[in-house]
Amino acid sequence: MSDLGVLQPPVRLSDRLAAVLQAAIECGELSPGDALPTEAKLVQQYGVSRTVVREAISRLKSTGLLVSRQGSGVYVALAAANRPLLLDPALLGTSDAVIEVLEVRRALESEAAGLAAERADAATRRAILDACEAIDAAVDAGGDGVAEDVAFHRRIADASGNPQFGRLLGFLDQYVRAAVAVTRANEARRDDFAQQVRDEHRELARAIFEGDAARARAAAATHMHNAARRIREGIQARRVRPRAARRAAATGSGTNA
């Protein structure tokens, strides 16, 4: 698995421990109603301080996964009928995990685009075209176009006529934002990448404008698939450059003659 440490601040030990405990609960290793190992046992098992253990437990209590019983200890909460959707950032600190989130987005974006093509009225279709053009205008003016890109995809989700698409996509956006920033920087250096993104956006907007649901679904799926590829290449480029610079410095090729 590829580390995304170049994109995110270091994950705290308490966050890592919380992620491990959450995974144990979600895979059934710890079942609802089970007592959590004592603080001393967790310290010994994971080689961390009591403070780290307390912070991790506090985090999971705040999400409703753990509950305290006075004088008895900490227990895995009984399954809630309507537990909120949560993705722990500590579990998403790798490029592989970010790509997994993008695969989920691909399914959502594709269906939202298809429904938008079927349901949007003429004014909404025109607004989607305008939102697409706003991305290019922002980039041509020297910006990165990130805000306009988000607005474009959000407008398509809203045009689906199903508000759940907008809510779900907005929730997932927070987990890929750092990787998207790397992709944008990579596109700024790669004219071919920048042109690919423009072409993909235009094809998606045009398919919706023309009311072609099958084409819109295909265009959205292709765009998200290629976005994942560009993120992989962007992350790889971020790693290669520092190594190349170190080699150049070591051999003296990076100094002025």
Coordinates of all heavy atoms in Angstrom, one line a residue, residues 14 41 84 114 130 136 160 166 232 240 245:
S14 N -2.8 8.1 18.6 CA -4.2 7.8 19.1 C -5.1 7.6 17.9 O -6.1 6.8 18.0 CB -4.7 9.0 19.9 OG -4.6 10.2 19.2
K41 N -4.0 -3.4 29.5 CA -3.8 -4.4 28.5 C -3.5 -3.8 27.1 O -2.7 -4.3 26.3 CB -4.9 -5.4 28.4 CG -5.0 -6.4 29.6 CD -6.2 -7.3 29.5 CE -6.2 -8.3 30.6 NZ -7.3 -9.3 30.5
P84 N -24.7 6.8 12.2 CA -24.3 7.7 11.1 C -23.1 7.1 10.3 O -22.3 6.3 10.9 CB -23.9 9.0 11.8 CG -23.5 8.5 13.2 CD -24.5 7.4 13.5
G114 N -26.5 10.1 -15.3 CA -27.5 9.5 -16.1 C -28.9 10.1 -15.8 O -29.7 10.4 -16.7
D130 N -22.7 25.8 -18.5 CA -22.0 27.1 -18.0 C -21.0 26.7 -16.9 O -19.9 27.3 -16.8 CB -23.1 28.1 -17.5 CG -23.9 28.6 -18.6 OD1 -23.5 28.5 -19.8 OD2 -25.0 29.2 -18.3
D136 N -12.9 26.0 -17.1 CA -11.8 26.4 -18.0 C -11.5 27.9 -17.9 O -10.3 28.3 -18.0 CB -12.3 26.2 -19.5 CG -12.5 24.7 -19.8 OD1 -12.0 23.9 -19.0 OD2 -13.2 24.4 -20.8
S160 N -29.8 15.6 -10.7 CA -30.3 14.2 -10.8 C -31.8 14.1 -10.2 O -32.5 13.2 -10.5 CB -29.4 13.3 -10.0 OG -29.6 13.5 -8.6
G166 N -26.1 14.4 -3.9 CA -25.3 15.6 -3.5 C -24.8 15.4 -2.1 O -23.6 15.7 -1.8
R232 N -2.9 8.5 -9.1 CA -1.7 7.6 -8.9 C -0.5 8.2 -9.5 O 0.6 8.1 -8.9 CB -2.1 6.2 -9.6 CG -3.1 5.4 -8.9 CD -3.1 4.0 -9.6 NE -4.3 3.2 -9.1 CZ -5.4 3.1 -9.8 NH1 -5.6 3.8 -10.9 NH2 -6.4 2.4 -9.3
V240 N 9.0 10.6 -6.8 CA 10.2 10.4 -7.6 C 11.1 11.7 -7.6 O 12.3 11.6 -7.5 CB 9.8 10.1 -9.1 CG1 11.0 10.2 -10.0 CG2 9.2 8.7 -9.2
A245 N 16.3 14.4 -6.7 CA 17.0 15.5 -6.2 C 18.1 15.1 -5.3 O 19.3 15.6 -5.3 CB 16.1 16.5 -5.5

